[in-house]
Amino acid sequence: MDGDGWVWVRRPADDDEEERPLKVVFDSPAEHFTDAAPIGNGSLGAMVWGSVASEKLQLNHDTLWTGVPGNYTDPNAPYALAVVRKLVDGEKFVDATEAASGLFGGPTEVYQPLGDINLEFDSSSLGYTSYKRELDLRTATVCISYNIGEVQYSREHFCSNPHQVFATKISANKSGHVSFTLSLNSQLNHNVRITNANEMIMQGTCPGRRPALHHNGANDAIGIKFATAVGLQIGGTSAKVTIIDDQKLRIDAADWVVLLVAAASSFDGPFVNPSESKLNPEVAALNTLNISRNATFSQLKAAHLEDYQGLFHRVTLQLSQASMLEKDILEEVDHDVKTTAERINSFRSDEDPSLVELLFQYGRYLLISSSRPGTQVSNLQGIWNQDFAPAWEASPHLNINLEMNYWPTLPCNLSECQEPLFDLIGSLAVNGTKTAKVNYQASGWVTHHVTDIWAKSSAYYVDAMYALWPMGGAWLCTHLWENYQYSLDKEFLEKRAYPLLEGCAMFLIDWLIKGPGDYLETNPSTSPEHPFIAPGTGGHLASVSYSTTMDISIIREVFLAVISSAEVLGKSDTNLVEWIKKALPMLPPVKISKDDTIMEWAQDFEDPEVHHRHLSHLFGLYPGHTITMQKNPEVCKAVANSLHKRGEDGPGWSTTWKMALWARLLNSENAYRMILKLITLVPPGGKVDFEGGLYTNLWTAHPPFQIDANFGFTAAIAEMLLQSTHGDADLYLLPALPREKWPKGYVKGLRARGNVTVNISWEKGELQEATVWSSNPKCTLRLHYGEQVAMVTVLGGNVYRFNGGLQCVETYMAP
């Protein structure tokens, strides 16, 4: 089933295609957090370590954050703004950067770990053999097996979205051999009690205020409350359960044990103080647990698979280095033997394309597991966190990271997973309206570079190059228009997207001021996290100037989205649209510097860090659409020069952004080089002397762990295989395929703008077949492959199959 409810059934010609395993494989228990296997249902997450003698199952819930709703306004900000603008006008950029502290807000709140389930097995279990732990992406389950003597032990774990529980089954192939002690604990203030021999409950409270780093403060009653309920199902005639100190459960001589875990919190939205919340997390957790108890483990798993696979199986990808069946068979056998860490280590020599497949689908798996309708957004670590003070608070960062998390949703057929993003944008607009009015004396709404569960909309603090960036809401709004371009859902556009776009544009109109010549400018302006050498200062750094390329690129993107949305909705005659039409030609154009790269700032400042991780000035090419190879070839040459100048090193998210940019430049060789760069094993536990790479569980590294590059990689692979435009209705097939590396392959279920779904297959590096369908009543498309172009009229309900010459060779009714 694709994103529009179509059920896609394979044609008979596809029957000989066998799907390869998609497993993250380990041959030992985890020693570090980044060795553990992540599972989740959108809100409840778990990390499975797989230890034999004493298992640790780390739990997270997406609503566990420090703090309470905040005041994100500052009545003194307008005065500070006037001072900064005057300094910028006088080109006193160092002074302007210092004065920008008057526009700072505060820090975000912090994402918190829920707690751990601890399973203490008999000490004899230390002598084990035949250990295997694997995460199967096709089923979203973690399975562990090992032998102790003649007994084989198995554990199976999954997180069910339909039943909202984390389920674990522990079993042995001989009766009466499952024995362990179960307990719960948390880094947060908590208490545990046993309600009966089959149930235990943990209650706790998050700190009501952001704590000092690395220590836990006293219990604060106004923080978010939470509860975790664990229920047992036990099999075996000799099995017995003993309560220990009203804190632990001891299970002895069972054939099998099923653990069901439910969790809930008192969080009732970003505008409700936890002290005023009417939600009872213990009641909610127990209700969820009791419903799940009415089902067997097999029934829970069946419901889980139906839900998960309905999303995951929408897209399949297979890449091959050669068409020799013998080679494929050898590869598959090898994959069953080698761990994923070994495959990462050998990638530089074997360049195994099936590892690329695995990493592509892993991004889709993580998104399904960390972002579902009704949950919070996937944060800097998805939903997985073991630390009381995680890196960068694990908070959503809006100057690339949160947006990258959601890049795969549309092209990779997971549109439902972006619902939490739209919910957050709506909440940010509420708080951001107050921030815009008080801080900037502007209409509309604004938000800056970092936020949290309370929809913080004010600026950050510490340094202007982070804090002073009021474009976070504008970048997020481009996702609203993108969703319409893919879905053509007019109701979504009218009721949800356009009001938010309209409010964002209203702020941008007020934020723009008259600049030099006939141009409008943004002042103050920063290029995210990147300072420059201020002219005439003897080498002093500054970050505050005016009209950075990213500012103008995002504003242009939003203005064009508002105009296009208004045309669809019949609102083109409003004052807002008229003003935008007048403002667009007054926006500064993209400038090319003396070294033939894209200028990052309005002036050609000297760059103290040419290899900087951010690629903000290239936004117009990707993820934006205002720069294209077809319409702006000279600008694209400057983009390519900019990428060469930035270099290939950088954190994982920077690497995958470069992948996507090279794909938009139709440069398959350099896009592939970024794949080689990313697929590098990062040693867990300590500091490393390089950025980027992959941990043993395939998580991407900044370092430390940051999940955005997992999603960026998936989106970039899709961009290499299919690109599309909505307004011009163009579909580009295999635009950046590295033909020598992947001469044979297929992808099925990718989505294109215009509400179109596409399958593509190729052999010997050339297009073999493309299949296109849409639920639109009628649409006209231009298919592109290399220099070939074909005009196609697609009728809803029909499937169209094209050969490598873009000739339609078959039309049939959709099954």
Side-chain angles (χ1 to χ4, degrees):
M1 180 178 289
D2 67 27
D4 293 296
W6 284 62
V7 176
W8 180 244
V9 180
R10 286 182 170 182
R11 299 282 287 169
D14 297 335
D15 288 346
D16 59 344
E17 295 171 352
E18 292 189 10
E19 295 177 336
R20 290 191 280 224
L22 288 172
K23 295 181 179 181
V24 184
V25 178
F26 312 84
D27 63 2
S28 62
E31 296 182 8
H32 303 275
F33 183 61
T34 52
D35 298 327
I39 54 177
N41 63 15
S43 60
L44 180 62
M47 294 295 289
V48 180
W49 287 56
S51 298
V52 174
S54 57
E55 170 66 298
K56 176 167 60 176
L57 302 169
Q58 293 174 312
L59 302 177
N60 289 105
H61 195 275
D62 65 336
T63 62
L64 297 197
W65 286 74
T66 64
V68 298
N71 175 15
Y72 306 117
T73 64
D74 180 0
N76 296 316
Y79 170 76
L81 177 62
V83 171
V84 172
R85 280 180 167 170
K86 185 175 181 180
L87 291 169
V88 169
D89 287 341
E91 299 198 350
K92 298 179 179 179
F93 301 121
V94 174
D95 293 339
T97 300
E98 293 176 356
S101 62
L103 295 169
F104 289 180
T108 64
E109 296 297 338
V110 186
Y111 185 51
Q112 301 289 275
L114 171 54
D116 299 338
I117 299 174
N118 300 300
L119 308 176
E120 299 291 336
F121 294 89
D122 293 339
S123 58
S124 61
S125 61
L126 290 171
Y128 61 90
T129 60
S130 303
Y131 183 92
K132 189 171 185 179
R133 176 168 57 101
E134 60 185 30
L135 165 60
D136 188 344
L137 304 189
R138 296 196 187 279
T139 60
T141 57
V142 175
C143 293
I144 299 162
S145 62
Y146 54 90
N147 294 341
I148 298 176
E150 297 181 354
V151 181
Q152 183 180 62
Y153 292 89
S154 300
R155 304 177 199 162
E156 185 175 6
H157 312 267
F158 62 86
C159 258
S160 167
N161 182 272
H163 287 91
Q164 288 295 302
V165 291
F166 167 46
T168 293
K169 184 174 184 178
I170 304 169
S171 59
N173 66 347
K174 290 190 176 182
S175 298
H177 278 74
V178 175
S179 301
F180 60 91
T181 302
L182 166 67
S183 62
L184 284 170
N185 73 315
S186 175
Q187 298 178 58
L188 303 176
N189 292 293
H190 71 283
N191 62 77
V192 176
R193 74 180 193 275
I194 308 296
T195 54
N196 58 59
N198 293 315
E199 183 179 278
M200 62 194 315
I201 295 174
M202 179 169 68
Q203 294 178 306
T205 308
C206 296
R209 290 179 175 82
R210 174 191 171 98
L213 297 182
H214 309 302
H215 74 82
N216 194 345
N219 184 37
D220 190 336
I222 67 169
I224 295 173
K225 297 177 181 179
F226 66 89
T228 303
V230 180
L232 300 181
Q233 297 174 349
I234 301 174
T237 56
S238 302
K240 65 176 182 178
V241 181
T242 306
I243 299 173
I244 303 175
D245 300 329
D246 197 34
Q247 293 287 300
K248 300 179 180 180
L249 292 175
R250 173 68 190 180
I251 296 94
D252 285 297
D255 295 351
W256 54 263
V257 177
V258 170
L259 306 178
L260 299 178
V261 183
S265 83
S266 63
F267 177 74
D268 197 17
F271 312 122
V272 178
N273 195 302
S275 64
E276 300 172 356
S277 173
K278 306 300 182 185
L279 300 180
N280 186 321
E282 180 177 335
V283 170
L286 284 173
N287 285 342
T288 299
L289 180 64
N290 289 332
I291 291 172
S292 299
R293 281 171 160 165
N294 294 326
T296 65
F297 185 82
S298 295
Q299 290 170 332
L300 290 171
K301 184 178 178 181
H304 158 69
L305 290 177
E306 182 179 7
D307 164 73
Y308 170 77
Q309 292 179 338
L311 294 168
F312 185 79
H313 285 171
R314 290 176 182 173
V315 174
T316 57
L317 172 67
Q318 185 160 309
L319 307 171
S320 298
Q321 290 172 318
S323 58
M324 295 184 297
L325 179 61
E326 295 85 356
K327 188 174 190 302
D328 290 340
I329 293 172
L330 286 172
E331 285 178 350
E332 289 185 20
V333 172
D334 196 35
H335 298 163
D336 285 338
V337 174
K338 294 172 70 174
T339 66
T340 301
E342 290 170 335
R343 294 178 66 188
I344 296 170
N345 264 332
S346 65
F347 187 77
R348 289 298 177 96
S349 59
D350 62 30
E351 298 186 30
D352 176 10
S354 68
L355 184 57
V356 177
E357 296 170 25
L358 180 66
L359 192 55
F360 168 83
Q361 293 288 21
Y362 191 55
R364 297 182 70 248
Y365 163 80
L366 291 173
L367 194 55
I368 295 169
S369 302
S370 64
S371 185
R372 292 288 199 102
T375 73
Q376 303 304 303
V377 291
S378 180
N379 64 46
L380 211 58
Q381 296 184 181
I383 53 173
W384 299 280
N385 168 41
Q386 68 168 348
D387 297 318
F388 188 71
W392 301 291
E393 293 79 45
S395 57
H397 285 53
L398 313 186
N399 61 3
I400 175 58
N401 316 95
L402 179 62
E403 291 88 353
M404 182 177 283
N405 282 11
Y406 287 91
W407 283 355
T409 53
L410 294 167
C412 298
N413 218 331
L414 293 174
S415 59
E416 298 92 333
C417 293
Q418 66 185 338
E419 285 295 316
L421 181 66
F422 300 152
D423 293 339
L424 176 62
I425 297 172
S427 297
L428 287 169
V430 174
N431 285 337
T433 297
K434 302 170 188 174
T435 305
K437 182 178 180 180
V438 175
N439 291 30
Y440 302 123
Q441 298 179 332
S443 55
W445 66 274
V446 63
T447 194
H448 296 74
H449 109 280
V450 65
T451 190
D452 55 28
I453 198 169
W454 307 110
K456 168 182 159 59
S457 56
S458 58
Y460 198 54
Y461 71 133
V462 178
D463 193 313
M465 70 177 181
Y466 302 98
L468 197 58
W469 192 72
M471 293 292 133
W475 190 344
L476 289 177
C477 277
T478 65
H479 286 248
L480 297 167
W481 174 240
E482 279 285 271
N483 184 69
Y484 173 76
Q485 289 191 95
Y486 274 86
S487 67
L488 301 187
D489 184 343
K490 190 173 179 180
E491 182 178 2
F492 166 84
L493 182 64
E494 181 174 16
K495 295 183 178 179
R496 200 166 186 186
Y498 191 74
L500 294 169
L501 280 164
E502 188 177 42
C504 176
M506 289 168 63
F507 170 77
L508 295 176
I509 287 169
D510 285 352
W511 183 244
L512 287 163
I513 58 177
K514 186 72 169 63
D518 294 327
Y519 290 121
L520 297 171
E521 70 176 17
T522 57
N523 175 7
S525 177
T526 62
S527 192
E529 305 183 22
H530 194 186
F532 56 87
I533 296 176
T537 64
H540 287 280
L541 297 182
S543 57
V544 175
S545 62
Y546 64 96
S547 298
T548 59
T549 300
M550 186 181 222
D551 273 13
I552 303 302
S553 297
I554 291 176
I555 291 171
R556 184 176 285 112
E557 202 84 25
V558 171
F559 281 0
L560 291 172
V562 172
I563 290 174
S564 297
S565 299
E567 290 174 355
V568 173
L569 300 174
K571 297 183 178 182
S572 296
D573 58 350
T574 63
N575 290 336
L576 174 66
V577 174
E578 290 301 315
W579 205 102
I580 289 174
K581 288 180 178 179
K582 292 177 182 178
L584 267 172
M586 299 171 67
L587 295 178
V590 173
K591 299 178 183 177
I592 298 176
S593 68
K594 55 181 177 289
D595 65 355
D596 292 323
T597 61
I598 299 296
M599 283 174 54
E600 188 163 353
W601 300 275
Q603 297 183 29
D604 202 359
F605 296 132
E606 184 179 350
D607 188 346
E609 193 179 352
V610 295
H611 298 145
H612 195 270
R613 60 195 176 275
H614 280 263
L615 304 153
S616 308
H617 53 316
L618 309 183
F619 174 93
L621 177 67
Y622 187 92
H625 306 279
T626 54
I627 299 172
T628 68
M629 286 287 287
Q630 295 74 28
K631 296 180 180 179
N632 316 96
E634 292 303 314
V635 176
C636 285
K637 288 181 182 178
V639 171
N641 291 336
S642 299
L643 284 168
H644 286 301
K645 184 177 179 179
R646 274 297 201 258
E648 296 183 351
D649 294 333
W653 58 262
S654 181
T655 302
T656 58
W657 195 355
K658 290 168 186 172
M659 272 180 66
L661 285 162
W662 282 122
R664 281 277 172 95
L665 291 174
L666 312 183
N667 191 318
S668 60
E669 179 181 354
N670 284 329
Y672 187 80
R673 286 178 61 84
M674 295 300 99
I675 295 174
L676 287 170
K677 195 72 179 178
L678 184 70
I679 301 180
T680 303
L681 189 65
V682 179
K687 290 186 177 181
V688 295
D689 58 0
F690 63 90
E691 292 184 304
L694 303 174
Y695 293 105
T696 61
N697 67 358
L698 280 186
W699 270 349
T700 51
H702 187 287
F705 160 54
Q706 213 171 282
I707 203 169
D708 37 28
N710 284 111
F711 302 132
F713 182 86
T714 300
I717 291 292
E719 203 70 22
M720 293 169 72
L721 301 178
L722 177 68
Q723 295 177 23
S724 63
T725 64
H726 169 51
D728 298 325
D730 289 291
L731 267 65
Y732 298 88
L733 307 176
L734 307 179
L737 174 72
R739 287 169 168 78
E740 294 183 0
K741 304 296 183 180
W742 308 331
K744 178 183 178 182
Y746 63 82
V747 63
K748 299 178 181 180
L750 290 182
R751 296 277 291 157
R753 293 170 181 84
N755 194 18
V756 174
T757 308
V758 182
N759 297 344
I760 309 170
S761 64
W762 63 94
E763 283 197 22
K764 298 180 180 179
E766 296 296 334
L767 177 68
Q768 181 186 37
E769 182 178 290
T771 307
V772 177
W773 69 98
S774 173
S775 58
N776 299 334
K778 182 179 181 181
C779 63
T780 301
L781 306 173
R782 274 195 299 269
L783 296 183
H784 299 256
Y785 175 64
E787 298 300 318
Q788 301 177 73
V789 183
M791 295 291 294
V792 182
T793 299
V794 175
L795 301 179
N798 288 341
V799 179
Y800 300 81
R801 188 165 65 89
F802 300 87
N803 62 17
L806 299 186
Q807 298 170 315
C808 185
V809 295
E810 184 181 13
T811 303
Y812 54 93
M813 295 292 292

